[in-house]
Amino acid sequence: MTKHLKYTPWVLMAPFLALFLLTFILPILAAVGSSFTKVRREGLFGEEGIVSEFAWFENYAQALADGGFIASIGRMVLFGLVQVPVMMLLATVLAILLESASARWPGFFRAAYFLPYGIPGVIATILWSFLYVPGLSPIIDAAAVVGIELNFLGPSTVLWSIANIVTWTYTGYNMMIIIAQLKSIPGELYEAARVDGASGWQVAWKIQLPLIRPALVLTTVFSIIGTMQLFAEPQVLSTSSTAIDSQYTPNLSAYTTAFAYNAYNAAAAQAVLIALAAFILSFAFLRLTNRKSV
Amino acid sequence: MTATQTRLDHQPARTRRAAPNSRDRSAGRSKASTIITTGILVVVALYFLVPVYWVVLAATKTTEDLFASNGFWFGSSFNLWTNVVQVLTYDGGVFVRWFANSVLYAGVGAVGATYFAAAGGYALAKYEFRGRNAIFGTVLGGVLVPGTAIALPLFLLFSQLGLANTYWSVLLPSLVSPFGLFLCRIYASASMDTSLMEAARLDGASELRIFHTLGLKILTPALVTVFLFQLVSIWNNYFLPLVMLADSSLYPITLGLNNWSSQVERLPEFYELTTGGVLLSVIPLGIAMIVLQRFWRGGLTEGAVK
């Protein structure tokens, strides 16, 4: 290898690596560092300055002892157990229907389902909140005519109202990934199935589902990570629903701890715990799916 | 057929032989199954389009009409033009400014991130050097780290550097796409022939020139996916600008509209501003999604199947 070739890859990678270092590695190290640090004020009123000292696991113990924070993680696990399977099922069914020869105008439907993905979570939430708020919502009005009283923003329903917004936003995106994988299935397989007299159901179960498994696993992992990060939807909806408190999701909790209480070290510990929870749940899911295939 | 053709052009050669059968994939094609399938698809389409339909109507109404009239039909007045003018001129045209900020963040961020990811992924795929696997492993870990877990410490870091509450505080993190580098590396190893690079070297082309001419050209399908993915994720980002920006003139559209909608409880005229603003921000995105969806290759799976 010539000397010339030795430096080229580093020149090519330099901009990416510099930015990656600045916006990924340094903040992660800083977060881990400050999650193990506590700030102590010297003097009676802190007038003699502040000192940082090593706190061991004090911040983590504090986060784990915080009932509101733990409850928010539990809430997201419940949310994920219901919303992710519903969304993946819907995305898979839509992808298979759109790719089947029975579908009319597949281009139109694909665009219609994919459209919400381009609408930011905040704007999607503002949109849906209009359909959730009594007085504005034509859905609530229509249900009242039939004698059903709907409350989308109550303590027991608001979590599922958020789940609806998330499903609305991301189903089309997941569907597109599944469609991409469906398109890569060789035509000969369908040909062979037809020769063997397989029905549409059998084609879906025996050929399409097993072959789109990688896409399903991947989109599910990304959905799990996304669930743990839920922030914009509950934060925006909290202005119209009193059932959402400042610790409704783990991220909302970390945000409140950092900016409302100015407790950056405790917030750093919460941020690390959120990342860990996302990792653990993703890996647990990957292990589960790998075992099934053996 | 032209749409299918365009899509196929983006696919690596090995899947192309599926093309002749691509419209003929299901065993059941009876008239009944067509009706049932299309019926289901129509119902689902209603679900996805109803909120957009509602906001189109809402943007034509006065605040009184918004509450008095049926949400799924027009009110007694047609106020669309007044509402739109109000959205565009309110507070010295701040809405236009927010929109321009979003275009700046998403446009510059996505172009830069795609170029840097392409260069990095290409280098990792096509050169052998020490530390290659360590770098790839670290970047891959970056794909899985939740973005919001990084935003808080990044804010503290940028505060110390004096970057918080500037355009840079949102732009710099937008220029990095670990997923993009991951995809470009996989695409470059799979579809770029090293003998082509050797030939270019014999012709006397420099390494950087080979990347900029040959490399970028062959990587184009992957670059389109990375660009679109990054564009949408910057455009939709809320947490990062929320944490970074205090000055409302730097806001992207997500933050700006949320600012308006959080005031409706106290000041009902913000209903008109919010519905009009939501409509104006959804229209360009809707058009973009419809135009771009044919290029959307869901390239994520490209790596997963190998």
Side-chain angles (χ1 to χ4, degrees), chain B residues 235-253:
Chain B
W235 187 276
N236 290 359
N237 202 345
Y238 175 66
F239 195 69
L240 181 75
L242 176 73
V243 167
M244 290 290 178
L245 303 175
D247 181 354
S248 69
S249 66
L250 299 179
Y251 279 6
I253 206 153

Side-chain angles (χ1 to χ4, degrees), chain B residues 7 15 49 55 149 153 165 229 262 282:
Chain B
R7 262 196 312 280
T15 55
L49 295 176
V55 85
N165 197 28
F229 190 82
S262 61
V282 164

Side-chain angles (χ1 to χ4, degrees), chain A residues 187-199 202-203 207, chain B residues 25 27:
Chain A
E188 296 94 83
L189 278 178
Y190 292 100
E191 206 56 57
R194 222 183 329 271
V195 171
D196 290 346
S199 70
Q202 283 171 323
V203 170
I207 296 176
Chain B
R25 308 200 121 187

Side-chain angles (χ1 to χ4, degrees), chain A residues 195-252:
Chain A
V195 171
D196 290 346
S199 70
W201 279 109
Q202 283 171 323
V203 170
W205 275 110
K206 301 266 168 65
I207 296 176
Q208 290 176 318
L209 272 183
L211 286 173
I212 58 171
R213 235 179 70 107
L216 293 177
V217 170
L218 206 80
T219 45
T220 306
V221 167
F222 278 96
S223 303
I224 292 172
I225 297 174
T227 303
M228 272 296 142
Q229 296 193 77
L230 207 61
F231 179 83
E233 290 82 0
Q235 202 239 9
V236 173
L237 213 53
S238 69
T239 53
S240 37
S241 169
T242 49
I244 300 174
D245 62 17
S246 64
Q247 285 194 306
Y248 199 73
T249 71
N251 246 325
L252 210 48

Side-chain angles (χ1 to χ4, degrees), chain B residues 80-93:
Chain B
L80 178 64
W81 185 242
T82 328
N83 286 343
V84 167
V85 168
Q86 204 192 344
V87 167
L88 294 177
T89 55
Y90 181 81
D91 198 9

Side-chain angles (χ1 to χ4, degrees), chain B residues 88-164:
Chain B
L88 294 177
T89 55
Y90 181 81
D91 198 9
V94 74
F95 181 85
V96 179
R97 168 124 204 186
W98 292 335
F99 198 91
N101 286 342
S102 271
V103 170
L104 174 82
Y105 293 134
V108 175
V111 169
T114 307
Y115 175 70
F116 296 150
Y122 169 87
L124 284 171
K126 288 290 147 197
Y127 296 91
E128 279 184 33
F129 54 96
R130 277 181 66 171
R132 174 164 102 143
N133 289 330
I135 288 177
F136 187 60
T138 312
V139 175
L140 202 56
V143 176
L144 294 175
V145 176
T148 53
I150 289 178
L152 279 179
L154 196 60
F155 166 72
L156 296 178
L157 187 73
F158 276 11
S159 302
Q160 283 169 1
L161 297 173
L163 286 172

Side-chain angles (χ1 to χ4, degrees), chain A residues 113 118 164 181 190 235 251, chain B residues 25 28 41 47 148 238 285 305:
Chain A
Y113 302 163
N164 172 55
Q181 186 121 51
Y190 292 100
Q235 202 239 9
N251 246 325
Chain B
R25 308 200 121 187
L41 293 177
Y47 166 68
T148 53
Y238 175 66
L285 285 176
V305 288

Side-chain angles (χ1 to χ4, degrees), chain A residues 1 4-6 8-13 15-17 19-20 22-28 30-31 34 90 94 97-123 126-128 130-131 133-136 138-139 141 164-165 167-168 171-173 176-177 180-188 190-191 194 198-200 203 208 214-215 218 221-222 225 229 231-232 235-236 239-240 251 254-255 258-259 264 267 271 274-275 278-279 283, chain B residues 7 11 15 17-18 21-30 33-34 37-38 40-42 44-45 47-52 54-55 66-67 69-72 116-117 119-120 122-124 127-130 135 138-139 141-150 152-158 161 172-173 175-178 181 201 206-208 211 229 232-233 235-236 238-239 242-243 253-254 257-258 261-262 265 271 274-275 278 281-282 285-287 289-290 293 296-298 300-301 304-305:
Chain A
M1 196 183 290
H4 195 54
L5 285 177
K6 213 165 153 187
T8 310
W10 294 102
V11 172
L12 285 169
M13 283 188 306
F16 181 92
L17 286 183
L19 285 164
F20 187 71
L22 178 71
T23 61
F24 273 83
I25 305 291
L26 280 180
I28 290 172
S34 68
L90 187 58
L94 292 177
L97 285 181
L98 279 179
E99 280 299 289
S100 76
S102 308
R104 285 282 184 87
W105 316 295
F108 164 76
F109 288 118
R110 203 167 46 222
Y113 302 163
F114 190 51
L115 171 76
Y117 178 63
I119 299 176
V122 177
I123 294 174
I126 295 173
L127 255 181
W128 276 101
F130 289 137
L131 299 176
V133 173
L136 261 186
I139 300 171
D141 291 348
N164 172 55
I165 300 173
T167 309
W168 184 77
T171 300
Y173 165 73
M176 292 295 270
I177 292 175
Q181 186 121 51
L182 278 174
K183 282 193 187 301
S184 71
I185 297 176
E188 296 94 83
Y190 292 100
E191 206 56 57
R194 222 183 329 271
S199 70
V203 170
Q208 290 176 318
L218 206 80
V221 167
F222 278 96
I225 297 174
Q229 296 193 77
F231 179 83
Q235 202 239 9
V236 173
T239 53
S240 37
N251 246 325
Y255 178 77
F259 291 104
Y264 290 116
I274 294 166
F279 267 127
F283 279 112
Chain B
R7 262 196 312 280
Q11 293 181 358
T15 55
R17 60 209 147 87
N21 291 321
S22 63
R23 292 298 318 141
D24 195 22
R25 308 200 121 187
S26 170
R29 260 166 298 127
S30 64
S33 82
T34 303
T37 305
T38 310
I40 296 171
L41 293 177
V42 167
V44 177
Y47 166 68
F48 284 111
L49 295 176
V50 153
V52 179
W54 183 88
V55 85
L66 202 55
F67 285 90
S69 67
N70 181 346
F72 286 146
F116 296 150
Y122 169 87
L124 284 171
Y127 296 91
E128 279 184 33
F129 54 96
R130 277 181 66 171
I135 288 177
T138 312
V139 175
V143 176
L144 294 175
V145 176
T148 53
I150 289 178
L152 279 179
L154 196 60
F155 166 72
L156 296 178
L157 187 73
F158 276 11
L161 297 173
L172 283 176
L175 288 169
V176 192
S177 169
L181 180 128
R201 266 174 211 144
S206 74
E207 295 297 314
L208 287 180
F211 165 69
F229 190 82
V232 173
S233 72
W235 187 276
N236 290 359
Y238 175 66
F239 195 69
L242 176 73
V243 167
I253 206 153
T254 46
L257 278 178
N258 186 43
S261 87
S262 61
E265 296 285 314
Y271 272 116
T274 310
T275 51
V278 167
S281 70
V282 164
L285 285 176
I287 294 170
M289 281 296 120
I290 290 165
Q293 54 104 6
W296 191 271
R297 287 271 298 108
L300 283 161
T301 54
V305 288

